[in-house]
Amino acid sequence: MAKIIHSMIRVLDEERSLAFYRDALGLEIADRFPFDGFTLVYLRNPENDMEIEITVNHDRAEPYMHGDGYGHVAVAVDDLDAEHARMGAAGLEPLPIKEFLREGALMARFFFIIDPDGYKIEVLQKHGRYR
């Protein structure tokens, strides 16, 4: 059976992205592999097996186009309100908290943040299927 191990995004500024993912999600560098022309950086925290891989193409100066197919990466947290307040205080500009109902019952409480390259991250309250 396959196991999801990472999701890769391309970023322009490695240091800016590292600071964002550290401050927003508590992710630190697990591994960093420089190559001719690009660098791969794997980010994780002790709570996760899955990583975010950021790829930095050394000759890239223009922002990446996300196209119309990319949606978001999602994370679950114990206290959504506290995380929203913490990220706001850190200047990460979280969008407003929303509730998603299905058949009259709460399916999800969440908000989005956007990384320095415009990638969306959904932050969900641990609840139901989102654990």
Side-chain angles (χ1 to χ4, degrees), residues 18 21-29 43-45 48 52:
L18 291 175
Y21 283 98
R22 180 195 63 235
D23 295 346
L25 304 177
L27 301 179
E28 299 288 345
I29 297 173
L43 306 176
R44 67 181 312 166
N45 65 28
N48 292 294
I52 292 182

Side-chain angles (χ1 to χ4, degrees), residues 99-114:
E99 291 187 352
F100 189 50
L101 303 175
R102 185 169 187 276
E103 298 176 354
L106 179 66
M107 182 171 177
R109 286 186 75 234
F110 61 94
F111 64 87
F112 282 91
I113 54 175
I114 301 172

Side-chain angles (χ1 to χ4, degrees), residues 16 21 64 66 70-71 113-121:
R16 187 175 71 168
Y21 283 98
Y64 288 96
H66 298 171
Y70 176 79
I113 54 175
I114 301 172
D115 88 349
D117 292 276
Y119 295 104
K120 292 181 182 177
I121 300 161

Side-chain angles (χ1 to χ4, degrees), residues 37-58:
F38 66 97
T39 299
L40 304 178
V41 184
Y42 294 90
L43 306 176
R44 67 181 312 166
N45 65 28
E47 296 181 13
N48 292 294
D49 286 335
M50 186 172 165
E51 298 174 321
I52 292 182
E53 172 192 334
I54 62 172
T55 298
V56 183
N57 292 308
H58 301 164

Side-chain angles (χ1 to χ4, degrees), residues 14 31-41 58:
E14 179 179 345
D31 280 306
R32 185 176 185 282
F33 302 105
F35 294 92
D36 289 340
F38 66 97
T39 299
L40 304 178
V41 184
H58 301 164

Side-chain angles (χ1 to χ4, degrees), residues 79-93:
D79 187 337
L80 189 75
D81 296 296
E83 284 299 300
H84 190 270
R86 183 188 67 77
M87 290 183 196
L92 299 173
E93 301 180 14

